[in-house]
């Protein structure tokens, strides 16, 4: 293990909140300001991540699903996240273990337990940007993406959103950003949050 020199930021939220778009915009903005920046997307490209994606249209036992996300994350931490943090990158996570808490929590697994397991295998983020949006609006936004995966039903996403908001209430690292606004407005607010964090991490 090396010394962590970089900054770890997780972008979280239910499907259709604009996480990937925001991550790309923040990466370009950071690079234009001279930072090294990388996006790491979860689920990742490990055999476990591929298995998760292959199972999108199937029903899977909640514990089995949790296991797969954990195994995928463990590989991601070792192969992508820690090496980048050691090299001083600002690592932007397009989903991280807060998704694990909110989504698998919505299937009945205790969210605190999920956090505990994850914090044994993965570094804690310095900040979490939680893109919050009404699930009906989010589902309308992703309608043109084609077939929905099994996580993308209204009833389920309502629970997941509530879980994210519950987590935010007890974790001051989680900054809630209203993602029902335009991409530009969301980007502006996220930049302010990141600027603040980067200034603090230099102190
Ligand atoms: P994506 O749509 O961002 O590629 O993510 C795929 C799905 O995986 C998404 O619907 C949420 C789900 N997910 C979990 O249920 N738990 C997790 O830990 C992660 C990272 C994703």
């Amino acid at each position: 293990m090396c010394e962590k020199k970089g900054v770890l930021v997780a972008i979280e939220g239910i499907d259709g909140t604009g996480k990937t778009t925001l991550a790309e915009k923040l990466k370009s903005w950071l690079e234009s300001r001279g930072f090294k920046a990388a996006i790491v997307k979860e689920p990742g490209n490990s055999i476990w991540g591929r298995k998760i994606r292959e199972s999108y249209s199937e029903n899977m036992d909640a514990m089995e699903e949790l296991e797969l996300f954990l195994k995928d994350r463990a590989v991601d931490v070792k192969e992508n996240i820690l090496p980048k943090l050691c090299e001083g990158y600002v690592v932007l996570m397009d989903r991280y273990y807060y998704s694990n808490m909110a989504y698998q929590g919505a299937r009945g697994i205790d969210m605190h337990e999920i956090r505990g397991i994850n914090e044994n295998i993965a570094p804690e983020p310095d900040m979490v940007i939680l893109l919050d949006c009404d699930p009906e609006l989010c589902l309308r936004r992703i309608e043109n993406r084609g077939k929905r995966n099994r996580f993308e039903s209204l009833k389920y996403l309502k629970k997941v959103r509530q879980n994210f908001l519950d987590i935010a209430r007890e974790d001051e690292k989680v900054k809630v950003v209203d993602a029902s606004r335009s991409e530009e407005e969301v980007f502006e607010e996220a930049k302010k949050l990141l600027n603040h964090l980067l200034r603090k991490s230099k102190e």
Side-chain angles (χ1 to χ4, degrees):
M1 267 267 276
C2 73
E3 190 200 336
K4 171 179 177 269
K5 296 198 206 104
V7 173
L8 184 58
V9 176
I11 303 173
E12 291 282 10
I14 61 171
D15 306 73
T17 43
K19 294 176 294 301
T20 304
T21 307
L22 179 64
E24 282 160 4
K25 285 184 164 194
L26 288 176
K27 179 175 183 279
S28 305
W29 172 71
L30 285 164
E31 285 170 345
S32 73
R33 297 187 59 214
F35 288 94
K36 292 193 281 187
I39 298 174
V40 176
K41 173 145 181 55
E42 290 195 358
N45 264 327
S46 71
I47 49 164
W48 314 111
R50 289 201 293 275
K51 220 170 161 178
I52 293 166
R53 279 190 292 274
E54 281 160 17
S55 74
Y56 275 164
S57 55
E58 298 163 16
N59 275 326
M60 188 186 280
D61 172 74
M63 285 310 285
E64 193 186 338
E65 184 176 274
L66 174 65
E67 284 285 311
L68 284 179
F69 279 110
L70 287 168
K71 285 181 177 165
D72 179 55
R73 186 162 302 113
V75 176
D76 209 22
V77 167
K78 187 163 168 269
E79 294 185 354
N80 301 312
I81 301 173
L82 287 181
K84 288 283 182 224
L85 288 176
C86 292
E87 288 173 44
Y89 276 74
V90 178
V91 178
L92 301 166
M93 297 298 306
D94 182 345
R95 293 196 184 278
Y96 199 32
Y97 63 78
Y98 287 72
S99 277
N100 224 185
M101 292 161 67
Y103 280 78
Q104 279 60 60
R107 296 200 60 193
I109 308 175
D110 184 82
M111 286 207 286
H112 293 100
E113 258 177 53
I114 301 176
R115 182 194 280 275
I117 306 169
N118 273 284
E119 288 180 351
N120 276 328
I121 60 160
E124 278 186 48
D126 297 289
M127 180 170 77
V128 180
I129 298 175
L130 173 58
L131 299 184
D132 178 56
C133 177
D134 174 49
E136 289 187 40
L137 173 59
C138 285
L139 283 178
R140 277 203 299 278
R141 282 179 178 169
I142 60 180
E143 244 157 33
N144 57 359
R145 277 192 204 165
K147 205 167 173 293
R148 288 186 191 172
N149 72 34
R150 70 188 142 90
F151 302 102
E152 293 170 346
S153 81
L154 182 59
K155 192 167 160 225
Y156 185 56
L157 288 184
K158 280 185 175 171
K159 270 200 226 167
V160 176
R161 179 197 196 188
Q162 193 52 53
N163 282 349
F164 273 130
L165 292 173
D166 289 345
I167 296 166
R169 260 200 304 277
E170 46 182 65
D171 186 341
E172 59 170 21
K173 278 186 199 162
V174 183
K175 311 294 177 197
V176 182
V177 171
D178 175 3
S180 64
R181 295 171 302 166
S182 70
E183 274 178 31
E184 263 322 293
E185 285 170 301
V186 171
F187 180 43
E188 284 306 314
E189 190 172 340
K191 275 195 295 193
K192 280 188 199 143
L193 290 167
L194 204 46
N195 247 332
H196 183 70
L197 176 72
L198 293 170
R199 268 203 305 274
K200 245 183 30 192
S201 62
K202 266 203 222 146
E203 283 167 9

